Amino acid sequence: MSGMDAILHGGLQGYLVVALLLFALGLATVLLRRTLLLQFMGVELMLNAANVALLAFARFRGGDAQATVFYLFIIAVAACEAAIGLALVIGLFRHRDTTDSDRAASLKQ
Amino acid sequence: MFITFALITLLGALGMLLQKNVVVAGLCMVATFFGVAGLFVLLANPVAAALQIIVYSGAIMVLVLFVIMMLNSHQEEEAVASRPVQRWLSLALLAALVFGAVKLVLSSGGLKALAERGAAMPQAMTLQKAGTALFADHLLGFEVAGLLLLAAMIGAVALTKRNL
């Protein structure tokens, strides 16, 4: 399968392109949106893009079980990140009454 | 099938980027997670697909939506400064990055060879294989992940509780 054909019918390159675009959309969300909750969701999208690439490579190397184990570790870290990140957003909202990252640019109280 | 799930994934992510309402953006993100789970099924990895739906679409999204409801801030706040230069510059850099990376993926001979070799060996991941690899080769990592989750849980309680 070559080029365009691989993208349309699910070759390795197709999955990698989807992972790249997903990563780019997540990064765009972090860069362009100001709400901290949306930026957090963008980070989750970027983690997901990495997972898609990891498991695509695992599939095309003959169904490597190590990749699924590492996927499990990645989502464990993502779950920790979700708990801590959202706790920080709640803490910021308590102190500053905002969830806008531009309004939280100062380290002073 | 691949193109359907890829479109669900990417359109969900695009909806999240463009949506004004934070709750709707969160629901777009659930669509993205389901699309990614579909891609995992197509990659012959139902274990990862099930984990994706349980952990992301289930646990993490419920947590996010819960926080959105609790903070009661459904709309994006008014911008302090519009910063047009930074926004367009970041978009241009991102577009250049994506263009370059996609070009690299499509022109790479190594990837093409790997794709052709790999297409011939469709081995489905089973829970047994994943479990054996996890508990035989990565037991320490598994324990550390458990400890990390415990630390995150205590940290989240310490951060959100007013007076401990």
Side-chain angles (χ1 to χ4, degrees):
Chain A
M1 275 196 284
S2 69
M4 230 36 219
D5 203 39
I7 293 185
L8 291 177
H9 296 100
L12 176 59
Q13 292 99 325
Y15 287 98
L16 291 181
V17 168
V18 169
L20 268 170
L21 291 176
L22 195 59
F23 185 89
L25 284 167
L27 190 55
T29 310
V30 176
L31 289 173
L32 298 177
R33 301 301 297 260
R34 282 172 285 103
T35 310
L36 277 168
L37 284 165
L38 278 164
Q39 291 182 328
F40 163 79
M41 292 188 217
V43 173
E44 293 288 331
L45 276 197
M46 290 197 278
L47 269 171
N48 252 282
N51 285 338
V52 171
L54 174 72
L55 290 178
F57 276 118
R59 154 74 180 78
F60 282 90
R61 290 179 69 86
D64 198 345
Q66 311 288 325
T68 311
V69 172
F70 275 88
Y71 170 70
L72 193 74
F73 290 155
I74 292 171
I75 57 173
V77 173
C80 293
E81 181 230 317
I84 298 293
L86 291 173
L88 286 172
V89 173
I90 291 176
L92 179 77
F93 188 75
R94 282 224 182 106
H95 284 288
R96 300 268 174 90
D97 205 33
T98 180
T99 54
D100 187 315
S101 55
D102 275 0
R103 286 183 169 80
S106 161
L107 282 173
K108 275 196 280 185
Q109 272 288 330
Chain B
M1 273 319 264
F2 168 76
I3 204 76
T4 317
F5 284 123
L7 277 180
I8 291 173
T9 306
L10 294 178
L11 289 180
L14 194 67
M16 198 190 100
L17 173 61
L18 300 175
Q19 187 56 240
K20 290 272 170 250
N21 190 320
V22 183
V23 178
V24 181
L27 294 176
C28 284
M29 204 188 167
V30 175
T32 304
F33 287 154
F34 273 108
V36 170
L39 289 180
F40 289 167
V41 172
L42 292 183
L43 284 169
N45 202 334
V47 180
L51 279 173
Q52 172 83 12
I53 289 176
I54 293 167
V55 176
Y56 275 109
S57 315
I60 292 183
M61 271 331 287
V62 166
L63 198 62
V64 170
L65 289 175
F66 183 70
V67 170
I68 293 171
M69 309 279 176
M70 206 171 100
L71 296 184
N72 206 14
S73 58
H74 296 181
Q75 303 293 330
E76 193 155 49
E77 291 167 44
E78 279 296 310
V80 183
S82 61
R83 304 185 203 285
V85 181
Q86 286 96 326
R87 290 171 84 83
W88 285 111
L89 196 66
S90 64
L91 260 185
L93 282 175
L94 202 61
L97 178 79
V98 169
F99 183 74
V102 168
K103 212 168 161 216
L104 201 66
V105 165
L106 292 185
S107 63
S108 162
L111 281 180
K112 205 174 158 191
L114 187 64
E116 270 160 15
R117 258 185 295 130
M121 35 182 176
Q123 286 185 325
M125 177 60 55
T126 59
L127 199 52
Q128 192 187 358
K129 272 203 281 182
T132 309
L134 177 61
F135 288 109
D137 304 335
H138 299 284
L139 188 59
L140 183 67
F142 179 75
E143 300 284 349
V144 172
L147 198 65
L148 184 68
L149 280 166
L150 178 68
M153 193 170 76
I154 296 172
V157 171
L159 280 170
T160 44
K161 194 147 170 44
R162 264 176 229 270
N163 3 302
L164 278 168

